[in-house]
Amino acid sequence: MSGTHEDLDAFEGGLGDALRRTGEVFSVDGRPLVDGGVVRGRRELRRRRVAAVTGSVAALAVVGFGASYAAGAFGGGSGQGGAGAAAQPKAQETGPSTKSSPGKGPQLSAQQVIERLEGLLPAGKVSGRAGRGTADRFGPSAHLVFDDGEGKSAIGVSVGAIDPDGTEAEQQLECPDKTFVPYDSCRNETLANGSRLMVFRGYEYPDKRMDTKWWHAYLVTPDGYTVDASEWNAPAEKDAAISRDEPPLTVGQLKGLVTSDEWRPVMNALGKAAPEPVRQPSAQEQDGRAILGKLKSLLPVSVKVASERGDDGYAYVVVNDGKGASLVQINVQPGMSDVEGDLFGAGTEVLPDGTKVVTHQGPGEKGGAGVVMWTADTIRTDGLRVVVSAFNSGSQNAKATRQTPALTMQQLKLIATSGKWAGK
């Protein structure tokens, strides 16, 4: 992206706000759909704050480690101080920033934040320094290109504020589901001071079309601050040739980076994040366990469940009928009447009770070779939308394991139109 630092900030800020409002919205053939695979991995997507459109699926990258990684910017922590910064380091910015609700501590310039990151790195050459100070409305961050003699690596860090007891903190700290996100290792731990840490070793591209490795550490302190660090085995997050076998910092060094006391003055300069409001679920909303139980009860007896998981509004199973693994996922969304006209147009089947049904068959959207996706999309007269999809693979990111999904289109329609979703 060309333009000034202010232009970049304005773009990232506006996009980030829009993405947060949109949530985990995807589309199938242009039709919005909450992709539960991404619900399972909300953390990374929020940090990257960028929209990527691949085929007919528009992935609004908002929340984290989702089934579809978004191309674009390295971002920082979540909450008030969350920062997104360009993946390809640009000229260093140390000028004045727009202030927003600073904390009690003295403000730090972008240069000072960058110096803290640089001071925590082992011996090596540093270039491409860029960042933002604590008074910047998008929060403090620093990123640079580091070379320890084994090859260049992009490294970035940001500091933010978050409700440590809220759901966002829990989601950011949770390791992703390997059904949707391939990775080499991920671990969680609670430190002696009560801080919680997640360290992840995975890949920039879930379909591994390039072997760019992405290692990430995310810390939440008991008093509600985050330190979010990432490193790659390339001089840029995306679209850069791999320059080394692995990122330069070991898991231990990455942990030491985010847990360093050097970030405390940066935290002190930030205001605290407000506690997350308690959301009252609607009568139609169902938790993941309930959805998973109903989905399993509606599966044909010819399939056996190999793995399963449920989340709010979503569940999936990987089934096998003896012909190979097949992913089946379902989204249950109340209150969708306002988008009914966009979702159910020409070709819609209307059942006697007024339920509208459309079906789609097409290629998978997450990069798996030969993967196809079959979908039955329904909406009831009260606005309850139920969408069921099946794939000819146990994961959208892996190559096809069979010719067609384990469930037929008719079976998908029967599941989606079942009275169980309306409590019958």
Short mmCIF file of all heavy atoms in Angstrom, two decimals, residues 126-196:
data_model
loop_
_atom_site.label_atom_id
_atom_site.label_comp_id
_atom_site.label_asym_id
_atom_site.label_seq_id
_atom_site.Cartn_x
_atom_site.Cartn_y
_atom_site.Cartn_z
N VAL A 126 19.47 -5.14 12.13
CA VAL A 126 18.06 -4.71 12.11
C VAL A 126 17.88 -3.68 11.01
O VAL A 126 18.70 -2.78 10.83
CB VAL A 126 17.64 -4.13 13.47
CG1 VAL A 126 16.23 -3.56 13.39
CG2 VAL A 126 17.71 -5.20 14.55
N SER A 127 16.79 -3.79 10.27
CA SER A 127 16.43 -2.82 9.23
C SER A 127 14.93 -2.70 9.17
O SER A 127 14.20 -3.40 9.89
CB SER A 127 16.99 -3.27 7.87
OG SER A 127 16.44 -4.53 7.51
N GLY A 128 14.45 -1.80 8.31
CA GLY A 128 13.01 -1.68 8.08
C GLY A 128 12.20 -1.35 9.30
O GLY A 128 11.05 -1.79 9.44
N ARG A 129 12.75 -0.55 10.23
CA ARG A 129 12.05 -0.23 11.47
C ARG A 129 10.83 0.64 11.19
O ARG A 129 10.89 1.58 10.41
CB ARG A 129 12.98 0.50 12.43
CG ARG A 129 14.25 -0.26 12.80
CD ARG A 129 15.20 0.66 13.56
NE ARG A 129 16.43 -0.01 13.94
CZ ARG A 129 17.51 -0.10 13.16
NH1 ARG A 129 17.49 0.41 11.92
NH2 ARG A 129 18.60 -0.71 13.60
N ALA A 130 9.73 0.33 11.85
CA ALA A 130 8.52 1.13 11.75
C ALA A 130 7.67 0.88 12.98
O ALA A 130 7.81 -0.15 13.64
CB ALA A 130 7.73 0.81 10.48
N GLY A 131 6.79 1.81 13.32
CA GLY A 131 5.95 1.59 14.48
C GLY A 131 5.07 2.76 14.81
O GLY A 131 4.98 3.74 14.05
N ARG A 132 4.39 2.67 15.95
CA ARG A 132 3.51 3.74 16.44
C ARG A 132 3.71 3.90 17.94
O ARG A 132 4.01 2.93 18.65
CB ARG A 132 2.06 3.40 16.13
CG ARG A 132 1.70 3.50 14.66
CD ARG A 132 0.17 3.51 14.48
NE ARG A 132 -0.38 2.19 14.71
CZ ARG A 132 -0.67 1.34 13.73
NH1 ARG A 132 -0.41 1.64 12.48
NH2 ARG A 132 -1.20 0.17 13.99
N GLY A 133 3.53 5.10 18.42
CA GLY A 133 3.69 5.39 19.83
C GLY A 133 2.43 5.12 20.62
O GLY A 133 1.37 4.78 20.09
N THR A 134 2.53 5.31 21.94
CA THR A 134 1.40 4.98 22.82
C THR A 134 0.24 5.94 22.70
O THR A 134 -0.87 5.62 23.11
CB THR A 134 1.89 4.94 24.28
OG1 THR A 134 2.49 6.20 24.61
CG2 THR A 134 2.89 3.82 24.49
N ALA A 135 0.49 7.15 22.18
CA ALA A 135 -0.60 8.12 22.02
C ALA A 135 -1.33 7.96 20.70
O ALA A 135 -2.34 8.62 20.47
CB ALA A 135 -0.06 9.54 22.14
N ASP A 136 -0.83 7.10 19.84
CA ASP A 136 -1.48 6.88 18.55
C ASP A 136 -2.85 6.25 18.77
O ASP A 136 -3.00 5.35 19.60
CB ASP A 136 -0.62 5.98 17.67
CG ASP A 136 -1.09 5.97 16.23
OD1 ASP A 136 -2.15 5.35 15.96
OD2 ASP A 136 -0.41 6.56 15.39
N ARG A 137 -3.81 6.69 18.03
CA ARG A 137 -5.18 6.21 18.24
C ARG A 137 -5.33 4.73 17.91
O ARG A 137 -6.31 4.09 18.31
CB ARG A 137 -6.18 7.04 17.44
CG ARG A 137 -6.05 6.93 15.93
CD ARG A 137 -7.01 7.91 15.25
NE ARG A 137 -6.96 7.88 13.82
CZ ARG A 137 -6.07 8.52 13.07
NH1 ARG A 137 -5.11 9.22 13.67
NH2 ARG A 137 -6.11 8.47 11.76
N PHE A 138 -4.39 4.16 17.18
CA PHE A 138 -4.45 2.74 16.86
C PHE A 138 -3.54 1.91 17.75
O PHE A 138 -3.40 0.71 17.55
CB PHE A 138 -4.11 2.51 15.39
CG PHE A 138 -5.08 3.18 14.47
CD1 PHE A 138 -4.64 4.06 13.50
CD2 PHE A 138 -6.44 2.96 14.59
CE1 PHE A 138 -5.54 4.69 12.66
CE2 PHE A 138 -7.35 3.58 13.75
CZ PHE A 138 -6.91 4.46 12.78
N GLY A 139 -2.94 2.53 18.73
CA GLY A 139 -2.17 1.79 19.72
C GLY A 139 -0.71 1.60 19.35
O GLY A 139 -0.31 1.71 18.19
N PRO A 140 0.12 1.31 20.34
CA PRO A 140 1.56 1.18 20.11
C PRO A 140 1.93 -0.13 19.43
O PRO A 140 1.40 -1.20 19.76
CB PRO A 140 2.13 1.24 21.53
CG PRO A 140 1.03 0.71 22.40
CD PRO A 140 -0.24 1.17 21.76
N SER A 141 2.85 -0.04 18.50
CA SER A 141 3.35 -1.23 17.82
C SER A 141 4.73 -0.95 17.27
O SER A 141 5.13 0.20 17.09
CB SER A 141 2.41 -1.65 16.68
OG SER A 141 2.44 -0.70 15.63
N ALA A 142 5.44 -2.02 17.00
CA ALA A 142 6.76 -1.91 16.38
C ALA A 142 6.98 -3.14 15.52
O ALA A 142 6.57 -4.24 15.88
CB ALA A 142 7.85 -1.81 17.44
N HIS A 143 7.59 -2.93 14.38
CA HIS A 143 7.98 -4.07 13.58
C HIS A 143 9.25 -3.72 12.81
O HIS A 143 9.56 -2.56 12.58
CB HIS A 143 6.86 -4.53 12.64
CG HIS A 143 6.35 -3.49 11.71
ND1 HIS A 143 5.42 -2.56 12.08
CD2 HIS A 143 6.64 -3.24 10.40
CE1 HIS A 143 5.14 -1.78 11.04
NE2 HIS A 143 5.86 -2.16 10.02
N LEU A 144 9.98 -4.75 12.45
CA LEU A 144 11.28 -4.57 11.82
C LEU A 144 11.68 -5.85 11.10
O LEU A 144 11.00 -6.87 11.19
CB LEU A 144 12.33 -4.18 12.87
CG LEU A 144 12.37 -4.98 14.18
CD1 LEU A 144 13.07 -6.32 14.00
CD2 LEU A 144 13.03 -4.19 15.28
N VAL A 145 12.79 -5.76 10.38
CA VAL A 145 13.37 -6.93 9.74
C VAL A 145 14.67 -7.25 10.47
O VAL A 145 15.53 -6.38 10.62
CB VAL A 145 13.63 -6.69 8.25
CG1 VAL A 145 14.31 -7.91 7.63
CG2 VAL A 145 12.31 -6.40 7.53
N PHE A 146 14.79 -8.49 10.94
CA PHE A 146 15.91 -8.91 11.77
C PHE A 146 16.70 -10.00 11.06
O PHE A 146 16.11 -10.91 10.47
CB PHE A 146 15.39 -9.43 13.12
CG PHE A 146 16.44 -10.02 14.00
CD1 PHE A 146 17.37 -9.22 14.64
CD2 PHE A 146 16.49 -11.39 14.19
CE1 PHE A 146 18.34 -9.78 15.46
CE2 PHE A 146 17.45 -11.96 15.02
CZ PHE A 146 18.38 -11.14 15.65
N ASP A 147 18.03 -9.91 11.12
CA ASP A 147 18.89 -10.92 10.50
C ASP A 147 19.99 -11.28 11.49
O ASP A 147 20.83 -10.46 11.84
CB ASP A 147 19.49 -10.38 9.21
CG ASP A 147 20.21 -11.47 8.40
OD1 ASP A 147 20.45 -12.56 8.95
OD2 ASP A 147 20.51 -11.23 7.22
N ASP A 148 19.96 -12.53 11.96
CA ASP A 148 20.97 -13.01 12.89
C ASP A 148 22.12 -13.72 12.18
O ASP A 148 22.93 -14.39 12.80
CB ASP A 148 20.34 -13.96 13.91
CG ASP A 148 19.67 -15.16 13.24
OD1 ASP A 148 19.69 -15.26 11.99
OD2 ASP A 148 19.10 -16.00 13.96
N GLY A 149 22.19 -13.53 10.87
CA GLY A 149 23.21 -14.18 10.06
C GLY A 149 22.71 -15.40 9.34
O GLY A 149 23.38 -15.94 8.46
N GLU A 150 21.49 -15.86 9.70
CA GLU A 150 20.90 -17.04 9.08
C GLU A 150 19.83 -16.69 8.06
O GLU A 150 19.22 -17.58 7.46
CB GLU A 150 20.30 -17.95 10.15
CG GLU A 150 21.28 -18.43 11.20
CD GLU A 150 22.36 -19.33 10.62
OE1 GLU A 150 22.05 -20.06 9.65
OE2 GLU A 150 23.49 -19.30 11.13
N GLY A 151 19.57 -15.39 7.88
CA GLY A 151 18.54 -14.96 6.95
C GLY A 151 17.60 -13.95 7.58
O GLY A 151 17.46 -13.89 8.81
N LYS A 152 16.95 -13.15 6.77
CA LYS A 152 16.09 -12.09 7.26
C LYS A 152 14.74 -12.64 7.75
O LYS A 152 14.23 -13.61 7.20
CB LYS A 152 15.86 -11.04 6.18
CG LYS A 152 17.12 -10.25 5.82
CD LYS A 152 16.81 -9.18 4.79
CE LYS A 152 18.06 -8.36 4.48
NZ LYS A 152 17.78 -7.29 3.49
N SER A 153 14.19 -11.94 8.75
CA SER A 153 12.90 -12.34 9.32
C SER A 153 12.12 -11.09 9.71
O SER A 153 12.68 -10.18 10.33
CB SER A 153 13.11 -13.21 10.56
OG SER A 153 11.91 -13.36 11.29
N ALA A 154 10.85 -11.07 9.36
CA ALA A 154 9.96 -10.01 9.85
C ALA A 154 9.56 -10.34 11.28
O ALA A 154 9.20 -11.48 11.59
CB ALA A 154 8.72 -9.90 8.97
N ILE A 155 9.66 -9.34 12.17
CA ILE A 155 9.25 -9.51 13.56
C ILE A 155 8.41 -8.30 13.94
O ILE A 155 8.76 -7.16 13.62
CB ILE A 155 10.46 -9.61 14.51
CG1 ILE A 155 11.31 -10.83 14.16
CG2 ILE A 155 10.01 -9.69 15.96
CD1 ILE A 155 12.55 -10.99 15.02
N GLY A 156 7.30 -8.52 14.61
CA GLY A 156 6.43 -7.43 15.02
C GLY A 156 5.85 -7.66 16.40
O GLY A 156 5.70 -8.80 16.83
N VAL A 157 5.54 -6.58 17.09
CA VAL A 157 4.94 -6.67 18.42
C VAL A 157 3.99 -5.51 18.60
O VAL A 157 4.18 -4.43 18.03
CB VAL A 157 6.02 -6.68 19.53
CG1 VAL A 157 6.76 -5.35 19.58
CG2 VAL A 157 5.43 -7.04 20.87
N SER A 158 2.95 -5.71 19.36
CA SER A 158 2.04 -4.62 19.73
C SER A 158 1.58 -4.84 21.16
O SER A 158 1.60 -5.96 21.68
CB SER A 158 0.84 -4.54 18.79
OG SER A 158 0.00 -5.65 18.97
N VAL A 159 1.17 -3.77 21.79
CA VAL A 159 0.68 -3.81 23.16
C VAL A 159 -0.72 -3.23 23.17
O VAL A 159 -0.99 -2.22 22.52
CB VAL A 159 1.61 -3.00 24.10
CG1 VAL A 159 1.10 -3.05 25.54
CG2 VAL A 159 3.04 -3.55 24.03
N GLY A 160 -1.62 -3.86 23.91
CA GLY A 160 -3.00 -3.41 23.93
C GLY A 160 -3.63 -3.58 25.29
O GLY A 160 -3.01 -4.05 26.24
N ALA A 161 -4.88 -3.17 25.39
CA ALA A 161 -5.67 -3.33 26.61
C ALA A 161 -6.87 -4.20 26.29
O ALA A 161 -7.44 -4.13 25.20
CB ALA A 161 -6.12 -1.97 27.14
N ILE A 162 -7.28 -5.02 27.26
CA ILE A 162 -8.36 -5.97 27.04
C ILE A 162 -9.02 -6.27 28.38
O ILE A 162 -8.42 -6.08 29.44
CB ILE A 162 -7.80 -7.27 26.41
CG1 ILE A 162 -8.88 -8.11 25.75
CG2 ILE A 162 -7.06 -8.09 27.46
CD1 ILE A 162 -8.32 -9.28 24.93
N ASP A 163 -10.25 -6.71 28.33
CA ASP A 163 -10.89 -7.22 29.53
C ASP A 163 -10.33 -8.61 29.79
O ASP A 163 -10.59 -9.55 29.03
CB ASP A 163 -12.41 -7.28 29.33
CG ASP A 163 -13.15 -7.87 30.53
OD1 ASP A 163 -12.49 -8.18 31.54
OD2 ASP A 163 -14.39 -8.00 30.46
N PRO A 164 -9.52 -8.79 30.85
CA PRO A 164 -8.87 -10.09 31.05
C PRO A 164 -9.84 -11.21 31.37
O PRO A 164 -9.48 -12.39 31.25
CB PRO A 164 -7.91 -9.82 32.22
CG PRO A 164 -8.54 -8.69 32.98
CD PRO A 164 -9.19 -7.83 31.92
N ASP A 165 -11.04 -10.87 31.77
CA ASP A 165 -12.04 -11.88 32.10
C ASP A 165 -13.08 -12.06 31.00
O ASP A 165 -14.04 -12.82 31.18
CB ASP A 165 -12.75 -11.50 33.41
CG ASP A 165 -11.77 -11.39 34.57
OD1 ASP A 165 -10.90 -12.26 34.70
OD2 ASP A 165 -11.89 -10.41 35.34
N GLY A 166 -12.90 -11.36 29.89
CA GLY A 166 -13.89 -11.40 28.82
C GLY A 166 -13.69 -12.54 27.84
O GLY A 166 -12.67 -13.25 27.85
N THR A 167 -14.66 -12.71 26.98
CA THR A 167 -14.61 -13.80 26.00
C THR A 167 -13.54 -13.57 24.95
O THR A 167 -12.95 -14.52 24.44
CB THR A 167 -15.98 -13.97 25.31
OG1 THR A 167 -16.36 -12.73 24.70
CG2 THR A 167 -17.05 -14.39 26.29
N GLU A 168 -13.27 -12.31 24.63
CA GLU A 168 -12.24 -12.05 23.61
C GLU A 168 -10.88 -12.54 24.09
O GLU A 168 -10.13 -13.16 23.33
CB GLU A 168 -12.17 -10.57 23.27
CG GLU A 168 -11.15 -10.26 22.18
CD GLU A 168 -11.07 -8.79 21.83
OE1 GLU A 168 -11.96 -8.02 22.24
OE2 GLU A 168 -10.10 -8.42 21.15
N ALA A 169 -10.55 -12.30 25.35
CA ALA A 169 -9.28 -12.79 25.89
C ALA A 169 -9.23 -14.31 25.83
O ALA A 169 -8.20 -14.90 25.46
CB ALA A 169 -9.10 -12.29 27.32
N GLU A 170 -10.33 -14.96 26.17
CA GLU A 170 -10.36 -16.42 26.13
C GLU A 170 -10.15 -16.92 24.70
O GLU A 170 -9.42 -17.88 24.47
CB GLU A 170 -11.70 -16.92 26.67
CG GLU A 170 -11.93 -16.65 28.14
CD GLU A 170 -10.93 -17.35 29.03
OE1 GLU A 170 -10.46 -18.47 28.65
OE2 GLU A 170 -10.58 -16.81 30.09
N GLN A 171 -10.79 -16.26 23.75
CA GLN A 171 -10.67 -16.68 22.36
C GLN A 171 -9.26 -16.47 21.84
O GLN A 171 -8.71 -17.31 21.11
CB GLN A 171 -11.68 -15.91 21.50
CG GLN A 171 -13.11 -16.29 21.79
CD GLN A 171 -14.10 -15.29 21.23
OE1 GLN A 171 -13.71 -14.25 20.68
NE2 GLN A 171 -15.37 -15.59 21.36
N GLN A 172 -8.65 -15.35 22.19
CA GLN A 172 -7.30 -15.06 21.71
C GLN A 172 -6.29 -16.05 22.25
O GLN A 172 -5.30 -16.37 21.59
CB GLN A 172 -6.90 -13.64 22.15
CG GLN A 172 -7.76 -12.52 21.59
CD GLN A 172 -7.28 -12.03 20.24
OE1 GLN A 172 -6.52 -12.70 19.56
NE2 GLN A 172 -7.72 -10.86 19.84
N LEU A 173 -6.51 -16.56 23.46
CA LEU A 173 -5.57 -17.45 24.11
C LEU A 173 -5.77 -18.92 23.74
O LEU A 173 -4.92 -19.75 24.01
CB LEU A 173 -5.68 -17.31 25.64
CG LEU A 173 -5.15 -16.00 26.22
CD1 LEU A 173 -5.67 -15.80 27.64
CD2 LEU A 173 -3.62 -15.96 26.20
N GLU A 174 -6.88 -19.23 23.13
CA GLU A 174 -7.21 -20.62 22.83
C GLU A 174 -6.47 -21.10 21.59
O GLU A 174 -6.39 -20.40 20.58
CB GLU A 174 -8.72 -20.76 22.60
CG GLU A 174 -9.18 -22.18 22.39
CD GLU A 174 -10.67 -22.26 22.15
OE1 GLU A 174 -11.32 -21.20 22.04
OE2 GLU A 174 -11.19 -23.39 22.08
N CYS A 175 -5.90 -22.27 21.65
CA CYS A 175 -5.24 -22.85 20.48
C CYS A 175 -6.29 -23.18 19.42
O CYS A 175 -7.41 -23.58 19.75
CB CYS A 175 -4.48 -24.12 20.87
SG CYS A 175 -2.97 -23.79 21.82
N PRO A 176 -5.94 -23.02 18.15
CA PRO A 176 -6.93 -23.26 17.10
C PRO A 176 -7.24 -24.73 16.93
O PRO A 176 -6.54 -25.62 17.43
CB PRO A 176 -6.23 -22.70 15.85
CG PRO A 176 -4.79 -22.82 16.15
CD PRO A 176 -4.65 -22.57 17.61
N ASP A 177 -8.30 -24.97 16.22
CA ASP A 177 -8.75 -26.32 15.93
C ASP A 177 -8.00 -26.82 14.69
O ASP A 177 -8.06 -26.21 13.63
CB ASP A 177 -10.26 -26.30 15.67
CG ASP A 177 -10.86 -27.68 15.58
OD1 ASP A 177 -10.16 -28.61 15.14
OD2 ASP A 177 -12.04 -27.83 15.94
N LYS A 178 -7.31 -27.94 14.81
CA LYS A 178 -6.52 -28.44 13.69
C LYS A 178 -7.37 -28.89 12.50
O LYS A 178 -6.84 -29.08 11.41
CB LYS A 178 -5.62 -29.58 14.15
CG LYS A 178 -4.33 -29.11 14.79
CD LYS A 178 -3.31 -30.24 14.88
CE LYS A 178 -1.94 -29.70 15.29
NZ LYS A 178 -0.91 -30.76 15.33
N THR A 179 -8.66 -29.06 12.72
CA THR A 179 -9.53 -29.35 11.58
C THR A 179 -9.51 -28.21 10.58
O THR A 179 -9.69 -28.40 9.39
CB THR A 179 -10.97 -29.60 12.05
OG1 THR A 179 -10.98 -30.72 12.94
CG2 THR A 179 -11.90 -29.89 10.88
N PHE A 180 -9.27 -27.00 11.08
CA PHE A 180 -9.32 -25.83 10.24
C PHE A 180 -7.97 -25.14 10.06
O PHE A 180 -7.74 -24.47 9.06
CB PHE A 180 -10.32 -24.81 10.81
CG PHE A 180 -11.70 -25.34 10.90
CD1 PHE A 180 -12.20 -25.83 12.09
CD2 PHE A 180 -12.51 -25.41 9.79
CE1 PHE A 180 -13.48 -26.34 12.18
CE2 PHE A 180 -13.79 -25.93 9.86
CZ PHE A 180 -14.28 -26.41 11.06
N VAL A 181 -7.08 -25.27 11.03
CA VAL A 181 -5.80 -24.58 10.98
C VAL A 181 -4.67 -25.57 11.23
O VAL A 181 -4.51 -26.05 12.36
CB VAL A 181 -5.73 -23.44 12.02
CG1 VAL A 181 -4.40 -22.71 11.93
CG2 VAL A 181 -6.89 -22.47 11.83
N PRO A 182 -3.86 -25.89 10.23
CA PRO A 182 -2.72 -26.77 10.48
C PRO A 182 -1.61 -26.03 11.22
O PRO A 182 -1.34 -24.87 10.96
CB PRO A 182 -2.28 -27.16 9.06
CG PRO A 182 -2.71 -26.01 8.21
CD PRO A 182 -3.98 -25.49 8.82
N TYR A 183 -0.99 -26.69 12.17
CA TYR A 183 0.14 -26.08 12.86
C TYR A 183 1.02 -27.17 13.46
O TYR A 183 0.62 -28.32 13.57
CB TYR A 183 -0.33 -25.10 13.93
CG TYR A 183 -1.23 -25.67 15.01
CD1 TYR A 183 -0.71 -26.27 16.16
CD2 TYR A 183 -2.62 -25.58 14.90
CE1 TYR A 183 -1.52 -26.77 17.15
CE2 TYR A 183 -3.45 -26.08 15.90
CZ TYR A 183 -2.90 -26.67 17.01
OH TYR A 183 -3.72 -27.17 18.00
N ASP A 184 2.22 -26.77 13.85
CA ASP A 184 3.17 -27.72 14.40
C ASP A 184 3.04 -27.87 15.91
O ASP A 184 3.20 -28.96 16.44
CB ASP A 184 4.60 -27.30 14.04
CG ASP A 184 4.86 -27.39 12.54
OD1 ASP A 184 4.27 -28.27 11.89
OD2 ASP A 184 5.64 -26.57 12.03
N SER A 185 2.78 -26.77 16.60
CA SER A 185 2.60 -26.85 18.05
C SER A 185 1.86 -25.62 18.54
O SER A 185 1.91 -24.56 17.92
CB SER A 185 3.95 -26.96 18.78
OG SER A 185 4.68 -25.75 18.68
N CYS A 186 1.17 -25.78 19.64
CA CYS A 186 0.50 -24.67 20.30
C CYS A 186 0.35 -25.05 21.76
O CYS A 186 -0.09 -26.16 22.07
CB CYS A 186 -0.87 -24.38 19.68
SG CYS A 186 -1.72 -22.96 20.42
N ARG A 187 0.72 -24.15 22.65
CA ARG A 187 0.62 -24.46 24.07
C ARG A 187 0.13 -23.26 24.84
O ARG A 187 0.37 -22.11 24.46
CB ARG A 187 1.96 -24.94 24.62
CG ARG A 187 3.01 -23.85 24.78
CD ARG A 187 4.35 -24.43 25.23
NE ARG A 187 5.27 -23.40 25.67
CZ ARG A 187 6.56 -23.61 25.91
NH1 ARG A 187 7.06 -24.82 25.73
NH2 ARG A 187 7.34 -22.63 26.33
N ASN A 188 -0.55 -23.51 25.93
CA ASN A 188 -1.06 -22.49 26.83
C ASN A 188 -0.45 -22.71 28.20
O ASN A 188 -0.22 -23.84 28.61
CB ASN A 188 -2.58 -22.55 26.96
CG ASN A 188 -3.28 -22.36 25.63
OD1 ASN A 188 -3.61 -23.33 24.98
ND2 ASN A 188 -3.52 -21.13 25.25
N GLU A 189 -0.23 -21.62 28.92
CA GLU A 189 0.22 -21.75 30.30
C GLU A 189 -0.15 -20.50 31.07
O GLU A 189 -0.33 -19.41 30.51
CB GLU A 189 1.73 -21.97 30.38
CG GLU A 189 2.60 -20.85 29.84
CD GLU A 189 4.08 -21.15 30.02
OE1 GLU A 189 4.49 -21.38 31.19
OE2 GLU A 189 4.82 -21.13 29.02
N THR A 190 -0.31 -20.68 32.37
CA THR A 190 -0.53 -19.56 33.28
C THR A 190 0.76 -19.34 34.05
O THR A 190 1.29 -20.27 34.68
CB THR A 190 -1.69 -19.86 34.25
OG1 THR A 190 -2.89 -20.07 33.48
CG2 THR A 190 -1.90 -18.69 35.19
N LEU A 191 1.27 -18.13 34.01
CA LEU A 191 2.55 -17.82 34.63
C LEU A 191 2.38 -17.55 36.13
O LEU A 191 1.26 -17.41 36.63
CB LEU A 191 3.18 -16.61 33.94
CG LEU A 191 3.29 -16.71 32.40
CD1 LEU A 191 3.95 -15.47 31.84
CD2 LEU A 191 4.04 -17.98 31.99
N ALA A 192 3.50 -17.48 36.81
CA ALA A 192 3.47 -17.30 38.27
C ALA A 192 2.78 -16.02 38.68
O ALA A 192 2.16 -15.95 39.75
CB ALA A 192 4.90 -17.34 38.82
N ASN A 193 2.85 -14.98 37.85
CA ASN A 193 2.22 -13.71 38.19
C ASN A 193 0.75 -13.63 37.77
O ASN A 193 0.11 -12.59 37.88
CB ASN A 193 2.99 -12.54 37.57
CG ASN A 193 2.95 -12.54 36.05
OD1 ASN A 193 2.34 -13.42 35.43
ND2 ASN A 193 3.60 -11.56 35.44
N GLY A 194 0.20 -14.74 37.28
CA GLY A 194 -1.20 -14.78 36.88
C GLY A 194 -1.45 -14.47 35.42
O GLY A 194 -2.58 -14.60 34.94
N SER A 195 -0.42 -14.04 34.69
CA SER A 195 -0.57 -13.79 33.26
C SER A 195 -0.82 -15.10 32.53
O SER A 195 -0.32 -16.16 32.93
CB SER A 195 0.68 -13.11 32.69
OG SER A 195 0.87 -11.83 33.24
N ARG A 196 -1.56 -15.02 31.45
CA ARG A 196 -1.83 -16.20 30.64
C ARG A 196 -1.16 -16.03 29.28
O ARG A 196 -1.18 -14.95 28.69
CB ARG A 196 -3.33 -16.41 30.48
CG ARG A 196 -4.02 -16.82 31.78
CD ARG A 196 -5.51 -16.91 31.62
NE ARG A 196 -6.11 -15.60 31.39
CZ ARG A 196 -7.34 -15.41 30.92
NH1 ARG A 196 -8.09 -16.46 30.61
NH2 ARG A 196 -7.80 -14.19 30.78
#
